[in-house]
């Protein structure tokens, strides 16, 4: 009997590919309801913007590639409508059944749109290749002048950036008082300034529950809904798979669910958070690929563990990077820590090498002096700097250890006192 994988993008295909490495002779079947597999959703905003010229440039592998090169049977247009674990069998919409010995659920997440039903022709989500293709065609054909983006998470702000670069007047509506998913005033002020500097209006505290709501009473020739994601768990839940408090599928560190032989990974599943020690749901491609690999390995008879995440992400808005990892002070307090936060601004490189201002925030625990999180905002070097903080979180470092890190310096790349170390010195004073 086969290993069956439901979902043919990041987590599902990582699982299938890893399973093949572990077990060269295993029968592996991937069932994907959509028409394409293996595409980089992360590139969709850049296709809408026009920087990525063709939608198919975002497709990494085809079903033929998997069939020929990996001996993996990838079927598109194959929507799974039921899982019967006692019978070790999934049922497709077509009525066909596929039997499994081990199952990987990698069904991803979906946009949390306003209400049920289909969307009006000028309203889009930005989740699939098809969404992006239709949105880009609409921008080209209808030449809209006013755009409204609902939701100021990273997809919403990437969409706002893309619309603005297409010449639209853009308003972003956000339910909370914070931007880019971080409950942090310092961070929100920086995001807000960057958007304002590039002509994007932001209104916080606007809850758009329905598209007919007076809150959407803005001049909008095109609307992009990016008000959050929901994990696709219904199929698994109906089969008896346990759902965690986050609403995503509960897994152990082998990515196995409560049903033996059923694994889950990617945007539909929880993983462990290394700072809080609790299960969390942070749907990102980085996690989907890694957790998918672990699920696939174990489903094929391996013994691998997923270490957990610290919630690292980065997004570019009009050329500036906003990167964060770990907990904000607000989140840390809610988790029972006694957080201290410091913010500094320092040059990314020496002035004579055109260094630009880089903002760094660190959050640490007053009781243990351990780092809990941080963020970096800047035009250059932000990705490397947030990765240093993320590494420190993985290692469970204290601020005095972080302050002593031997970081690289040469004028074209960095300063002798990196902004991270300046922030750490500031934190030591506070502690
Ligand atoms: P998905 O990619 O959602 O794939 C799940 C697949 O399962 C889908 O193809 C779906 O059709 C299929 N499926 C669902 N139900 C069934 C069923 N019943 N039967 C058969 N098939 C089914 N992450 C980052 O880390 N960095 C970024 O910069 C970033 N940018 C992003 C930008 C955008 C616009 C979007 C939408 C996402 C972005 N992400 C980013 C998130 C990233 O794309 C996801 O975390 C990743 O795709 C998750 O992979 P997955 O395999 O778990 O789920």
């Amino acid at each position: 009997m086969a290993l069956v994988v439901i979902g043919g993008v990041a987590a599902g295909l990582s699982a299938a590919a890893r399973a093949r490495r572990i077990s060269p002779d295993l029968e592996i079947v991937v069932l994907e309801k959509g028409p394409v597999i293996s595409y980089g959703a992360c590139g969709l905003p850049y296709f809408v913007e026009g920087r990525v010229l063709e939608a198919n440039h975002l497709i990494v592998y085809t079903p033929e590639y998997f069939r020929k090169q990996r001996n993996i049977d990838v079927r598109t247009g194959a929507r799974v409508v039921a899982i019967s674990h006692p019978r070790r069998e999934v049922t497709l919409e077509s009525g066909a059944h596929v039997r499994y010995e081990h199952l990987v659920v990698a069904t991803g997440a979906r946009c949390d749109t306003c209400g049920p039903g289909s969307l009006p022709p000028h309203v889009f989500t930005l989740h699939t290749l098809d969404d992006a293709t239709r949105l880009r065609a609409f921008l080209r054909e209808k030449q809209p002048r006013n755009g409204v983006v609902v939701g100021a998470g990273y997809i919403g702000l990437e969409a706002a950036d893309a619309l603005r670069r297409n010449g639209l007047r853009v308003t972003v509506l956000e339910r909370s008082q914070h931007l880019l998913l971080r409950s942090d005033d310092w961070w929100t002020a920086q995001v807000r300034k960057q958007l304002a500097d590039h002509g994007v209006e932001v209104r916080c505290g606007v809850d758009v529950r329905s598209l007919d709501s007076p809150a959407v009473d803005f001049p909008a020739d095109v609307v992009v809904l990016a008000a959050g994601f929901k994990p696709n768990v219904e199929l698994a839940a109906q089969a008896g798979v346990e759902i965690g408090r986050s609403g995503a599928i509960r897994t152990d560190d082998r990515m196995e669910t409560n049903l033996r032989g059923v694994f889950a990974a990617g945007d539909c599943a929880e993983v462990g958070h290394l700072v809080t020690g609790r299960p969390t749901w942070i749907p990102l491609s980085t996690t989907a690929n890694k957790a998918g690999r672990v699920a696939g390995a174990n489903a094929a008879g391996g013994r691998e563990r997923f270490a957990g995440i610290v919630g690292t992400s980065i997004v570019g808005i009009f050329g500036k990077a906003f990167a964060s990892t770990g907990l904000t002070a607000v989140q840390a307090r809610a988790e029972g820590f006694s957080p201290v936060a410091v913010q500094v601004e320092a040059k990314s490189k020496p002035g004579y090498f055109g260094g630009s201002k880089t903002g760094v925030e660190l959050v640490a625990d007053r009781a243990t002096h351990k780092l809990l999180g941080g963020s970096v905002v800047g035009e250059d070097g932000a990705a490397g700097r947030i990765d240093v903080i993320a590494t420190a979180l993985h290692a469970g470092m204290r601020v005095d250890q972080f302050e002593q890190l031997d970081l690289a310096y040469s004028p074209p790349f960095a300063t002798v006192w990196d902004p991270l170390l300046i922030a750490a010195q500031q934190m030591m004073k506070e502690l």
Side-chain angles (χ1 to χ4, degrees), residues 98-279:
V98 182
R99 305 220 47 209
Y100 66 81
E101 185 177 359
H102 292 104
L103 182 69
V104 176
V105 179
T107 45
R110 62 182 178 274
C111 296
D112 199 358
T113 49
C114 312
S118 58
L119 299 171
H122 70 299
V123 179
F124 296 85
T125 52
L126 186 52
H127 191 211
T128 63
L129 216 51
D130 181 53
D131 292 341
T133 305
R134 288 186 303 104
L135 175 55
R136 181 153 143 177
F138 185 90
L139 295 179
R140 293 235 162 125
E141 285 157 23
K142 305 281 184 217
Q143 302 273 315
R145 294 180 53 195
N146 295 299
V148 166
V149 175
V150 180
Y154 69 90
I155 295 175
L157 296 192
E158 285 177 343
D161 181 321
L163 295 183
R164 189 81 189 111
R165 287 180 200 254
N166 274 274
L168 280 80
R169 202 174 147 257
V170 179
T171 307
V172 176
L173 308 178
E174 165 59 39
R175 185 189 305 141
S176 78
Q177 293 302 330
H178 289 109
L179 302 176
L180 264 184
L181 308 174
R182 216 171 150 81
S183 47
D184 180 320
D185 293 341
W186 176 80
W187 167 268
T188 294
Q190 308 241 7
V191 180
R192 187 184 280 282
K193 179 169 185 321
Q194 180 71 353
L195 291 169
D197 286 350
H198 291 83
V200 173
E201 190 185 346
V202 178
R203 302 209 186 174
C204 285
V206 180
D207 194 352
V208 182
R209 281 181 201 280
S210 135
L211 287 173
D212 306 323
S213 144
V216 206
D217 195 13
F218 289 95
D221 307 319
V222 60
V223 176
V224 178
L225 297 178
F229 272 142
K230 266 190 188 162
N232 291 324
V233 299
E234 292 77 3
L235 188 63
Q238 280 160 13
V241 170
E242 193 186 332
I243 306 303
R245 283 178 61 190
S246 69
I249 296 171
R250 179 147 213 158
T251 58
D252 62 15
D253 61 0
R254 300 177 66 245
M255 304 313 300
E256 193 165 18
T257 69
N258 59 310
L259 299 186
R260 261 191 96 76
V262 178
F263 297 78
D267 282 7
C268 63
E270 292 183 335
V271 290
H273 196 296
L274 291 172
V275 180
T276 65
R278 291 182 216 268

Side-chain angles (χ1 to χ4, degrees), residues 7 9-11 32-33 41-42 78 80 106-108 126 154-155 266-267 284-285:
V9 191
E32 165 57 53
K33 69 177 177 178
C42 314
V80 176
T107 45
L126 186 52
Y154 69 90
I155 295 175
D267 282 7
L284 285 173
S285 190

Side-chain angles (χ1 to χ4, degrees), residues 258-407:
N258 59 310
L259 299 186
R260 261 191 96 76
V262 178
F263 297 78
D267 282 7
C268 63
E270 292 183 335
V271 290
H273 196 296
L274 291 172
V275 180
T276 65
R278 291 182 216 268
T280 189
W281 181 63
I282 303 180
L284 285 173
S285 190
T286 43
T287 306
N289 280 283
K290 285 188 255 207
R293 243 175 97 89
V294 172
N298 292 329
R303 291 197 64 76
E304 295 189 4
R305 293 189 182 279
F306 184 63
I309 62 162
V310 291
T312 310
S313 69
I314 184 164
V315 55
I317 304 171
F318 300 110
K320 193 177 257 192
F322 292 81
S324 67
T325 187
L327 307 181
T328 62
V330 171
Q331 288 170 328
R333 196 164 298 115
E335 291 288 340
F337 295 103
S338 53
V340 180
V342 298
Q343 298 95 22
V344 302
E345 247 186 18
K347 282 266 167 75
S348 59
K349 300 180 217 173
Y352 59 84
F353 250 107
S356 57
K357 267 197 226 158
T358 293
V360 175
E361 178 174 66
L362 293 179
V363 179
D365 182 35
R366 189 177 288 287
T368 60
H369 288 199
K370 274 195 172 182
L371 270 178
L372 299 175
S375 55
V376 179
V377 177
E379 279 160 23
D380 60 329
R385 291 192 172 94
I386 204 67
D387 287 345
V388 171
I389 305 178
T391 306
L393 293 179
H394 272 264
M397 277 180 137
R398 293 189 316 271
V399 182
D400 57 305
Q401 297 169 317
F402 187 77
E403 188 194 9
Q404 297 292 333
L405 285 178
D406 182 14
L407 303 183

